[in-house]
Amino acid sequence: MRGFGVALGALALASCAATGGTPPATVAVAPQEAAKLRQVGAAVLFWSQEERFRNFPAMEKLFPGTVARAGRKVRALPQGAPLPIAEAEVAAFMAAQNVTGLLVLQDGKVRMERYARGYGPEGRWTSFSVAKSVTSTLVGAAIKDGYIKSIDDPVTRYIPDLAGAGYDGVSIRQLLTMTSGVKWNEDYTDPNSDVARMFAEAVPAGMDPTVFYMRKLPRESEPGAKFVYKTGETNLIGVLVRRATGKSLSAYLEEKIWKPFGMERDAFWMTDQTGAEVSGCCLSVSLRDYGRIGQMALEGGKGIVPAGWFADATKAQVTYPGGGYGYQWWVLPGGTYAAQGIFGQVILVDPSSKLVMVTSAAWPRASDRDLAQARLAFAMKVQAAARQ
């Protein structure tokens, strides 16, 4: 096991590729607000630095969404021995990376926890594509519950309005591994890319916005042949889970993960103009609960997903130069894996040392190789310190 050093080196490459009770109600979106929501949703990619610092911890004040409520029984994260890293070095890393939250768990104990710029344990920070790894876990939960028979089922069995489009013959597995063969542009710097435009159009009444957009895309390769990172496909996974379970993603998240695993704070999940969660993005969670997500994966999700789900989800189902991709998890050389989001969000898991490292941040650019390499260097120091 070569640990975080190799792992974050691969992430640098990847970042440049790219219970009981009533279920939480979806926040209604008035018709006059729908057009505004479509415009602002795309604008998130092009906020100024000051807007990022101000808005990333306050998405629920800007956008409609749903809430997954925390339960009464909170999973403890006991205090562990502080990592032997100079405080000045930690502060310098956080300042250079615009990190507002930094957490390191080992054996489920807190070995480092820092906050900046007014963020704190009571707050939430948006995750961007870290949400993808949570959405894929809900697929595992739906299989365990019998709502989905197999990830080898065709997607059109659960989303029949995709029939006759580029997703004919595509399996759930191929959505999870982003190997559908459907053409997609994930360029965060291009306002005309698919990732920026997918909610920009008015949608006919009764049509899901994700399905409306994705069914228009052409196929460029055979299903299973080519890995292309597509946020839109994780949004389709969310549609699939909602339709299979008959529940909102937040309601199912609350039932299957948030309450059973003992999350500490409510989670907020941004919704589209129809009130459905944007499942490829936009889940806002507290720093410690991001750490618990990593801990859940590390422990295998017993009682939440089928036995062996995380072993499969966090191994390379497909490869790219420097690493691989599982079921919406980045799979890295040496056995480490990660949930990663733009602007510096990451949950990094090193099973060999039972280490979880989380950063919530506001990088000046969506993806940045130099910042990823600097995070690599810091993570290597964290790992070395944890072994002392």
Side-chain angles (χ1 to χ4, degrees):
M1 169 61 201
R2 289 168 286 174
F4 283 174
V6 172
L8 281 172
L11 280 181
L13 293 172
S15 70
C16 297
T19 86
T22 304
T26 298
V27 178
V29 182
Q32 63 268 27
E33 293 296 314
K36 178 181 177 183
L37 177 58
R38 292 196 299 271
Q39 294 169 358
V40 174
V44 169
L45 292 171
F46 305 100
W47 277 340
S48 69
Q49 186 61 50
E50 182 52 42
E51 287 173 317
R52 284 190 284 271
F53 280 131
R54 183 172 66 248
N55 295 338
F56 284 4
M59 301 297 270
E60 61 266 40
K61 297 179 181 178
L62 302 173
F63 300 105
T66 55
V67 172
R69 295 168 299 204
R72 296 179 180 178
K73 187 176 180 180
V74 175
R75 181 190 176 100
L77 296 177
Q79 191 66 43
L83 287 173
I85 300 178
E87 191 60 38
E89 190 167 5
V90 176
F93 164 74
M94 293 180 67
Q97 298 258 326
N98 291 343
V99 169
T100 56
L102 171 63
L103 179 70
V104 178
L105 304 178
Q106 187 173 33
D107 293 314
K109 297 178 181 179
V110 177
R111 300 209 60 188
M112 180 181 290
E113 184 176 13
R114 301 287 188 277
Y115 297 92
R117 291 186 171 270
Y119 186 47
E122 304 298 309
R124 289 188 288 247
W125 195 268
T126 192
S127 68
F128 293 103
S129 290
V130 167
K132 290 179 168 67
S133 304
V134 176
T135 297
S136 78
T137 303
L138 294 180
V139 174
I143 290 172
K144 186 176 188 302
D145 286 347
Y147 293 117
I148 297 172
K149 182 179 178 182
S150 168
I151 62 172
D152 293 314
D153 287 347
V155 172
T156 51
R157 179 175 297 175
Y158 301 89
I159 313 177
D161 30 351
L162 283 175
Y167 287 94
D168 281 338
V170 173
S171 68
I172 297 171
R173 182 188 302 273
Q174 288 158 347
L175 277 192
L176 287 169
T177 57
M178 297 196 185
T179 58
S180 68
V182 172
K183 189 175 182 180
W184 177 265
N185 179 354
E186 187 86 7
D187 186 348
Y188 303 116
T189 67
D190 180 2
N192 293 314
S193 67
D194 293 304
V195 74
R197 292 177 49 239
M198 62 181 160
F199 293 128
E201 302 175 22
V203 178
M207 174 68 78
D208 181 273
T210 295
V211 175
F212 175 72
Y213 189 85
M214 302 299 285
R215 66 169 285 111
K216 297 187 295 183
L217 299 176
R219 179 175 286 177
E220 66 175 356
S221 62
E222 285 301 306
K226 182 180 179 182
F227 168 70
V228 177
Y229 188 75
K230 307 181 186 79
T231 289
E233 293 200 336
T234 316
N235 291 348
L236 281 182
I237 294 170
V239 175
L240 185 151
V241 171
R242 282 194 299 271
R243 293 191 180 182
T245 64
K247 303 173 184 181
S248 75
L249 293 187
S250 284
Y252 201 47
L253 177 68
E254 177 181 309
E255 174 190 337
K256 301 306 299 183
I257 300 175
W258 232 245
K259 287 186 174 179
F261 201 75
M263 300 304 186
E264 187 173 3
R265 311 290 302 168
D266 293 351
F268 169 83
W269 209 328
M270 182 176 147
T271 53
D272 63 25
Q273 59 265 44
T274 67
E277 292 90 351
V278 183
S279 49
C281 175
C282 311
L283 179 64
S284 293
V285 174
S286 72
L287 184 68
R288 284 188 163 215
D289 285 341
Y290 283 127
R292 290 182 177 95
I293 291 171
Q295 195 67 31
M296 174 188 65
L298 180 62
E299 295 175 4
K302 184 178 179 181
I304 296 171
V305 294
W309 173 266
F310 276 111
D312 289 337
T314 61
K315 75 179 181 183
Q317 302 289 338
V318 296
T319 59
Y320 61 89
Y325 201 67
Y327 302 157
Q328 308 280 298
W329 290 85
W330 296 99
V331 184
L332 310 162
T336 302
Y337 54 89
Q340 179 179 249
I342 54 174
F343 296 108
Q345 325 314 317
V346 75
I347 303 172
L348 197 61
V349 183
D350 175 10
S352 71
S353 56
K354 299 182 180 179
L355 206 65
V356 175
M357 174 175 152
V358 181
T359 62
S360 295
W363 283 2
R365 289 165 293 282
S367 299
D368 190 298
R369 183 184 295 268
D370 290 340
L371 288 175
Q373 292 287 354
R375 188 172 61 188
L376 171 157
F378 182 79
M380 290 174 67
K381 293 176 182 177
V382 166
Q383 186 185 47
R387 288 174 172 170
Q388 293 183 22

